[in-house]
Amino acid sequence: MDFNKDTAKKTAELLLQVKAIKLSPQEPFTWASGWKSPIYCDNRITLSYPPVRNFLKQEIAKLVEEKHGKPDVIAGVATGAIAIGILVAQELGVPFVYVRPEPKKHGRQNQIEGHIESGQNVVVIEDLISTGKSSLNAVKALKEVHVNVKGMVAIFSYGFDIATENFKNEHVELTTLSNYEYLLEQALDSKYITSEELRTLEDWRIEPSKWKQNEN
């Protein structure tokens, strides 16, 4: 994946500044999956900071047009990417829909909320890519209503090999503003982490599912 280095590092800098991303190599977080992790990312926090959310909105909108042209519709993945998806759709002046993880159990039982028509060109917006499973589930739902999914643009990716493989297998082009590599570079440059902590963070990326699993 090609990156604009300045944008990638600026994105990482802002995510660290507002604590949307927290790095804690000495006291790891535990993800819902059970993985131990020295990083935790919640990009919804950026919505509370107008300068940050405006930067992300503008850069994602620019990336959407550069990679895919102006789409007919922007689709956000629920729930984390609904707000940023709306902001991007507003920036581009196009309609917005969002995709639930599964259809509602009542009412019209929609999985896609909003108006969308067969044959329309759609770009999907996501806030964070880990394995890509939930993101690609949204793509599947969109394809089932016969729209043309041009690709996906996200704020940040951990850069896991499994995600790369999953997107490749589903023939979905993924582009992100920043990723784990640029985050570590920026964190070291800004003295957010030490060289020793950098090594710990790099070790985690090698085999994240097994990192520190045998430690109490």
Side-chain angles (χ1 to χ4, degrees):
M1 189 188 302
D2 294 328
F3 286 89
N4 178 308
K5 183 172 182 177
D6 291 339
T7 300
K9 291 198 70 177
K10 180 65 175 177
T11 300
E13 178 186 2
L14 292 173
L15 296 179
L16 287 167
Q17 278 181 2
V18 302
K19 296 182 170 58
I21 288 181
K22 293 183 179 181
L23 298 175
S24 182
Q26 308 309 322
E27 297 181 19
F29 304 97
T30 301
W31 287 2
S33 62
W35 287 12
K36 298 289 185 182
S37 171
I39 178 173
Y40 191 82
C41 181
D42 182 359
N43 287 328
R44 290 168 294 192
I45 290 171
T46 62
L47 301 169
S48 298
Y49 300 87
V52 179
R53 74 177 186 228
N54 285 336
F55 172 84
L56 296 175
K57 171 192 70 175
Q58 291 163 2
E59 291 301 323
I60 292 174
K62 188 191 305 181
L63 206 49
V64 167
E65 288 203 281
E66 285 176 359
K67 291 287 184 179
H68 309 293
K70 188 172 181 177
D72 299 313
V73 179
I74 287 289
V77 181
T79 58
I82 292 177
I84 190 65
I86 291 171
L87 292 171
V88 171
Q90 184 70 18
E91 181 78 1
L92 293 171
V94 301
F96 174 79
V97 302
Y98 71 85
V99 188
R100 297 175 180 274
E102 58 185 24
K104 287 169 65 176
K105 298 288 193 291
H106 58 279
R108 293 186 296 165
Q109 300 182 336
N110 292 342
Q111 184 168 5
I112 300 170
E113 297 288 0
H115 179 73
I116 196 165
E117 297 179 3
S118 175
Q120 287 187 309
N121 291 324
V122 179
V123 174
V124 183
I125 304 300
E126 184 62 286
D127 66 327
L128 173 67
I129 304 294
S130 53
T131 65
K133 185 178 178 181
S134 59
S135 307
L136 289 167
N137 184 55
V139 172
K140 180 183 177 184
L142 288 162
K143 288 182 174 179
E144 285 174 353
V145 297
H146 308 293
V147 299
N148 179 23
V149 178
K150 302 286 286 183
M152 183 178 294
V153 180
I155 298 172
F156 184 80
S157 170
Y158 293 116
F160 296 146
D161 290 341
I162 185 65
T164 302
E165 185 178 337
N166 286 340
F167 276 89
K168 183 179 179 181
N169 289 342
E170 295 300 324
H171 307 288
V172 177
E173 182 179 358
L174 172 66
T175 314
T176 67
L177 293 185
S178 192
N179 67 0
Y180 194 70
E181 180 184 344
Y182 283 104
L183 173 74
L184 295 189
E185 185 177 331
Q186 179 59 35
L188 189 64
D189 288 350
S190 61
K191 296 181 170 53
Y192 188 96
I193 57 173
T194 64
S195 296
E196 184 178 345
E197 289 173 327
L198 174 65
R199 286 192 291 274
T200 300
L201 289 156
E202 289 175 334
D203 287 345
W204 171 76
R205 263 290 288 115
I206 295 170
E207 204 165 9
S209 64
K210 296 182 179 179
W211 188 75
K212 291 187 179 293
Q213 286 300 312
N214 295 324
E215 296 184 11
N216 294 324

